[in-house]
Amino acid sequence: MSSTTATPTKRPEDEYLGAGPSLGYGFQHVLTMYGGIIAPPLIVGGAAGLSTNEQALLVACCLFVGGLATVLQSFGIKFFGSKLPLVQGTSFAGVATMTAIVNGGGGIQAVFGAVMASAAIGFLIAPFFARIIRFFPPVVTGVVITTIGLSLFPVSAQWAMGGAAVAANGDEDTIFRNVCLAGATLLIIMLLSKVRSAVISRLSILLGIVLGTLLALALGMADFSKVGDGAFFAFPEPLAFGPPTFQPAAIISMTIVVLVILTETTADIIAVGEIVETKVDRRRIADGLRADMGASFLSPLFNGFTQSAFAQNVGLVAITGVKSRFVVTAGGVIMLVLGLLPVLGRVVAAVPMPVLGGAGIVLFGTVAASGIRTLGKVKYTGTPNLIIVATSIGIGMLPIAAPAIYHGFPTWFETIFHSGISSAAVAAVALNILFNEIKIGNPPAGQGSVFTEAPPRFVPIASIEHFQNHLREGDTVKDGKLVDSEGNEIPCITASGEVVPAPLDSKKSGTAGDH
């Protein structure tokens, strides 16, 4: 009598490619996210008034912590890690809020305390987050991500001018030269983005920073004389800036950011699961979020900030087709090694600010564009989503347009709402609940305010070709009238504004798009 034992199906992400290919593909992941991971410590460190060496320490620590978080997320242990090819690193979502905490007088220690406390809260709610994620639909997350990008543009402008000190001094000649250098860096990045080589195009920001720095050196606008000062290899010193301090308002503000990060990481886990073609259930999402928040909680002990999954690396998995999670684990190990080289941090910290300013325009603009893309998925016609987006972004822009707007308010209020991200997030969540969750009092369908409707659609007529260029899938001609897929009539308007019949013969075909 014979028996057979079923062989368990191996998941695509569990394939091991060997040490060499894993390190090679892993290094590509590191290069893809390198510009994004070094920017947050430079922004926050600059706002905190840290010296070049101290900023270099922050950069090294963020690389080290990002490496640890990546290994935990991709390799995984029991209850921690989605075991998917997900790269972790310092989240952009918290940059503006952490800068606001620093500017509010809390200093870098208050930032570390807020990160630890908010990460602890995020860790506790991770298993239940799938149940409350409905309060963070695209209309909310799109607003927040868009605001994150927009709120960072003042930082990019300040960098382009040469930093806060140069901008405050108002030396027009110096500012002119710095802005020209930032523009040259931006132009280099744009040209590299047009190169047909996919590798060069994807690394255009990093290569642009390198070439912009070389240009600055040639013009005498860069100083690397202090790169050799200090240790070449060193383990990150725990609590190098002192013990964290815990301010309630700062913790509340960062908790809002953590909720956004949980939403983003959940979306990235689901997205990479679809790309890899593997099963992603609620348990796996919870394990991934626990790794996210656990790494974020420990991060301040090693002078790091909130961790999250990097969406650009999810895209890299899709582009390359390399699904092995061990490739990303190898990338995490590379980041760990880079974090043990403070000399590398000093090199990064010595990059001229105008060069970073030129790169920041693209980097921060990409974040804003991601939010706009998310908002493109939102249904506006017949819903109150337009007023939610408009009001939330407007509230988020207030402290960016007028930084002193909340100076007369209580300290806790100012700390929370001084950040455009926190302001927009609070407004978006509250308005989404008010309009979309609480249905009582909403006007009947079709009888809403002007904010519930999309702009009216009409088709201009100059010629048959011009008419056909404005047709959409599902448009049909009935009895000489143009109607959309839902049966709504679409006016056909001449150059003089006269409404005329649709210039197609509906007897020949019922579908306008066929002509």
Side-chain angles (χ1 to χ4, degrees), residues 6 69 153 254 298:
F153 277 113
M254 278 303 299
L298 296 175

Side-chain angles (χ1 to χ4, degrees), residues 159-163 177-179 181-183 185 221 352-359:
W159 279 355
M161 296 171 71
R177 294 180 66 214
N178 288 338
V179 172
L181 177 58
T185 302
M221 299 174 66
M353 283 192 176
V355 172
L356 294 175

Side-chain angles (χ1 to χ4, degrees), residues 51-53 56 222-231 342-343 345-347 349-350:
S51 66
T52 300
N53 283 337
D223 180 16
F224 286 84
S225 60
K226 297 182 179 179
V227 168
D229 298 345
V343 64
R346 291 195 294 272
V347 171

Side-chain angles (χ1 to χ4, degrees), residues 23 45 62 92 143 181 183 273 311 326 350 405 450 454 496:
L23 287 171
C62 284
F92 252 114
V143 164
L181 177 58
F326 300 112
I405 190 170
V450 66
S496 62

Side-chain angles (χ1 to χ4, degrees), residues 121-132:
I121 294 171
F123 183 86
L124 292 175
I125 68 172
F128 313 102
F129 191 74
R131 300 177 184 177
I132 67 170

Side-chain angles (χ1 to χ4, degrees), residues 52-131:
T52 300
N53 283 337
E54 288 173 328
Q55 290 186 43
L57 173 62
L58 279 184
V59 170
C61 289
C62 284
L63 283 168
F64 180 79
V65 172
L68 284 175
T70 299
V71 171
L72 180 63
Q73 184 70 266
S74 58
F75 189 79
I77 59 176
K78 191 174 183 179
F79 301 122
F80 291 89
S82 62
K83 296 184 179 180
L84 285 166
L86 275 174
V87 176
Q88 300 285 120
T90 303
S91 173
F92 252 114
V95 170
T97 299
M98 291 187 291
T99 302
I101 294 172
V102 168
N103 293 333
I108 197 76
Q109 291 169 285
V111 170
F112 290 142
V115 169
M116 289 188 73
S118 60
I121 294 171
F123 183 86
L124 292 175
I125 68 172
F128 313 102
F129 191 74
R131 300 177 184 177

